Amino acid sequence: MKIDREADALLIVDFQNDFITGSLAVAGAEELVPVINQYIGMFDNVAASRDRHKENHPSFIDQGGPWPDHCVDGTFGMEIHTGLKLLDSASLTIVDKGRYEEAYSAFTNTRLVYLLKAMKIKRLFICGLATDYCIKATVLDALKEFGSKVFLLTDAIAAVNIKPDDGKIACIEMAAQGAEELIIGDFE
Ligand code: ZN
């Protein structure tokens, strides 16, 4: 795989403190920092999504939702892990999702498609958290927008795995819909 620095973009999904060391920490997430940084160094165009909720968000357990409080606006937990060298990228786009309603996909009620198309992005390479929720929803939406040109960076994702195989099953579903799996060694 050879990266086209103009037409390819890296999309880092929800690599935020609450999903790494906080209230919804995903096992193995922090170990992804060096490999995501390697990917950041390979792409000129980098986009990142953030889960960003108001207080008393409907996805929180005390509001009847499935998740502990996480990624509340203005908290440390909402911030992207400072180990990521995002500012090394030539072009950085950040979108926030899920402010009022739960949104797993980085494309739900955000300007991400518009922004990527304005940048003339043709292929999307996706990594981040978590494989079985926001990665899966984002990849499936990306396939609708970018056809077969969506790649899942399987060495730079980690799963919640409420059931032990959730991450694996999500990868099978994404591949079945047309996402191609890559690891860093597949790039020139
Ligand atoms: Zn959330």
Side-chain angles (χ1 to χ4, degrees):
M1 174 61 60
K2 189 169 166 40
I3 292 166
D4 178 334
R5 285 194 168 259
E6 286 188 5
D8 290 344
L10 175 68
L11 171 58
I12 305 164
V13 175
D14 297 10
F15 206 73
Q16 295 161 272
N17 293 317
D18 269 342
F19 297 131
I20 301 165
T21 52
S23 61
L24 258 173
V26 176
E30 193 141 43
E31 287 84 335
L32 303 179
V33 170
V35 67
I36 295 177
N37 279 334
Q38 268 187 281
Y39 283 119
I40 290 171
M42 290 157 55
F43 287 82
D44 274 6
N45 303 306
V46 175
S49 67
R50 297 188 299 193
D51 209 30
R52 182 173 178 178
H53 300 320
K54 65 182 182 69
E55 288 181 11
N56 303 319
H57 191 265
S59 76
F60 298 166
I61 288 167
D62 57 8
Q63 303 297 315
W67 304 113
D69 288 18
H70 64 280
C71 300
V72 174
D73 212 3
T75 63
F76 172 77
M78 200 216 81
E79 291 170 21
I80 293 175
H81 192 289
T82 53
L84 290 195
K85 296 180 176 171
L86 288 175
L87 296 178
D88 286 0
S89 53
S91 161
L92 176 63
T93 302
I94 294 181
V95 295
D96 292 336
K97 66 186 177 61
R99 181 158 177 77
Y100 297 102
E101 303 191 343
E102 188 57 278
Y104 291 153
S105 167
F107 293 97
T108 300
N109 295 327
T110 70
R111 300 174 77 233
L112 188 56
V113 165
Y114 167 82
L115 293 167
L116 294 173
K117 297 214 162 164
M119 292 159 66
K120 301 192 162 48
I121 298 302
K122 299 282 192 290
R123 301 192 302 180
L124 210 48
F125 297 74
I126 298 176
C127 65
L129 302 168
T131 311
D132 33 359
Y133 293 93
C134 295
I135 290 284
K136 183 173 99 171
T138 299
V139 165
L140 295 180
D141 276 353
L143 283 162
K144 292 175 200 154
E145 296 294 339
F146 293 88
S148 59
K149 292 168 179 141
V150 176
F151 301 87
L152 178 64
L153 304 173
T154 55
D155 53 356
I157 58 175
V160 178
N161 283 335
I162 290 175
K163 291 186 207 145
D165 286 336
D166 282 355
K168 266 187 219 160
I169 292 166
C171 286
I172 291 166
E173 284 182 56
M174 289 184 271
Q177 295 300 314
E180 189 177 327
E181 296 187 354
L182 294 172
I183 57 170
I184 201 118
D186 294 326
F187 291 85
E188 287 178 25

